[in-house]
Amino acid sequence: MNIVLFHSTYGLRPGVRLAADRLRGAGHEVWTPDLFEGRTFETVEEGMAFKDRIGKDELLRRAVLAAAPYSERGLVYAGFSLGASVAQTLALGDEKARGLLLLHGTSDIAPNASVDDLPVQLHVAEPDPFETDDWLSAWYLQMGRAGADVEIYRYAGAGHVYTDPELPDYDEEAAEATWRVALGFLETL
């Protein structure tokens, strides 16, 4: 499978590269675009401030340019938190998308979004301050109306970006469970 994996608001840190290596080890081809052009951050607040300075439109422009050389192959879009939001936006706009793997995040859905049974898997902490229960319920219904085939996995007690071993939110048990399920999902695509 061809996967484009977008980083979180922390930037393209070693945890993203470790995740990409894990996916490559399972036989996938993976690209990890650096939407922050080399900048990384120690806190969510610093990363969000930088993202806000770049602006949503510029961030998406960078993501589209990064994915474009590979989109004809039929990509699986994946991402962590902010990167999941970016991945979702691109996947819903790419008729050749093969799947969408969301780790720790979702995004608004355009009212006219439409896909043909796009397989989507979301892994998120429970509770998660950025992905509340009410938000996830509404998101799930909207994705279904858009035509996506959605699975949601919740991890009680895990922190927001619980798959990155270098961040305070890291939860080894939840991270390993996430990767087992996610790798199985990718094998079905």
Side-chain angles (χ1 to χ4, degrees), residues 30-184:
V30 184
W31 297 275
T32 54
D34 186 349
L35 303 180
F36 286 179
E37 299 177 334
R39 298 285 308 268
T40 60
F41 301 95
E42 295 301 315
T43 69
V44 170
E45 294 78 17
E46 290 170 340
M48 292 300 280
F50 183 75
K51 176 205 61 112
D52 291 343
R53 283 194 303 276
I54 293 171
K56 183 178 181 178
D57 290 343
E58 175 61 17
L59 193 69
L60 288 175
R61 185 189 74 75
R62 291 176 184 184
V64 167
L65 289 174
Y70 315 107
S71 63
E72 285 298 313
R73 302 177 186 196
L75 287 171
V76 172
Y77 291 89
F80 298 95
S81 191
L82 170 67
S85 171
V86 170
Q88 177 186 306
T89 300
L90 269 59
L92 292 179
D94 182 353
E95 63 187 30
K96 292 185 179 188
R98 300 280 306 274
L100 177 58
L101 177 60
L102 302 171
L103 302 163
H104 324 299
T106 61
S107 182
D108 294 331
I109 301 164
N112 62 346
S114 177
V115 292
D116 188 16
D117 292 323
L118 179 70
V120 178
Q121 194 173 84
L122 168 64
H123 297 267
V124 66
E126 181 178 27
D128 187 308
F130 300 101
E131 302 291 327
T132 65
D133 291 342
D134 288 346
W135 168 263
L136 287 175
S137 294
W139 175 85
Y140 178 82
L141 292 172
Q142 290 173 4
M143 286 294 278
R145 280 195 289 275
D149 181 13
V150 180
E151 299 175 337
I152 299 177
Y153 294 86
R154 306 288 307 267
Y155 300 87
H160 178 61
V161 184
Y162 63 82
T163 57
D164 188 326
E166 293 191 322
L167 295 177
D169 288 345
Y170 182 62
D171 182 313
E172 183 177 9
E173 186 178 330
E176 289 306 313
T178 294
W179 286 116
R180 273 193 306 277
V181 173
L183 290 170

